[in-house]
Amino acid sequence: MNETLTKILSNSPTESDANLPRIGRSMARMRLMTGRRLIGRLAIQSAAPGLELSHLDVLDAVRRAEPAGEVTVGTIAEMLRIDPSRASRVVAEMVGRNVLRREASQADARRIVVVITDAGQALLAEIHAQKLAIISEIVSDWPGEDIERFATLFERFIGGYEAIFLSRDKDTPG
């Protein structure tokens, strides 16, 4: 058992340890909202009513994978942990909407890669703007210093969360 858990379960938790259950409860609430994909759903309603969450997932996967090189349907399937045939169908839908396009690989003309079109870039920008508008609405009555402090602490918390996850789950791709 780790030291922090031992302190929490002992009869004399520190003041900071007493707040850990509050953080845990808040994380559970956030997980439920994230699981329901509330921000994505709100962004779709505002920016692209005809899209589905799976479309956003594929678009985001291509955006995240492009800096590392060419993106294939297999790359998308692996990133999203879905069957390649499902990834192919969603990519085909996105190509039909002119959000993605298929083209021959520059490295191997026999291979087909997926790239984001200008319309896809505009959609990503609009979805991002909607997300920031929602966050802005949430913190609209917070003092600036609270927003700055929360941003710093939340980044630090998520960084620690990712580090623990990556150190314990070596078989799970990012």
Side-chain angles (χ1 to χ4, degrees), residues 76-151:
I76 295 166
E78 185 178 319
M79 287 179 73
L80 299 178
R81 298 185 184 143
I82 60 175
D83 187 80
S85 63
R86 171 73 178 134
S88 183
R89 281 192 301 274
V90 177
V91 166
E93 291 170 14
M94 299 296 281
V95 167
R97 293 172 181 268
N98 192 35
V99 175
L100 297 175
R101 82 172 169 272
R102 290 186 174 112
E103 57 186 46
S105 164
Q106 296 299 309
D108 180 353
R110 297 170 295 177
R111 191 172 65 182
I112 300 298
V113 296
V114 179
V115 297
I116 300 174
T117 65
D118 289 342
Q121 292 291 354
L123 178 59
L124 278 172
E126 180 60 26
I127 295 294
H128 182 71
Q130 289 296 323
K131 180 179 181 178
L132 291 181
I134 291 165
I135 294 168
S136 179
E137 187 175 340
I138 292 167
V139 300
S140 65
D141 61 345
W142 293 20
E145 56 273 4
D146 283 0
I147 296 170
E148 182 178 348
R149 184 154 170 74
F150 178 75

Side-chain angles (χ1 to χ4, degrees), residues 10 12 32 53 59 65 76 100 102 108 127 155-156 164:
S10 74
S12 58
L32 288 173
L53 289 169
L59 190 58
I76 295 166
L100 297 175
R102 290 186 174 112
D108 180 353
I127 295 294
E155 284 174 345
R156 193 163 101 200
I164 288 173

Side-chain angles (χ1 to χ4, degrees), residues 26-46:
S26 293
M27 286 178 66
R29 289 172 45 213
M30 186 168 184
R31 182 188 55 78
L32 288 173
M33 289 185 287
T34 302
R36 292 182 188 133
R37 313 274 310 267
L38 295 181
I39 288 179
R41 289 178 193 280
L42 291 171
I44 286 173
Q45 285 174 3
S46 300

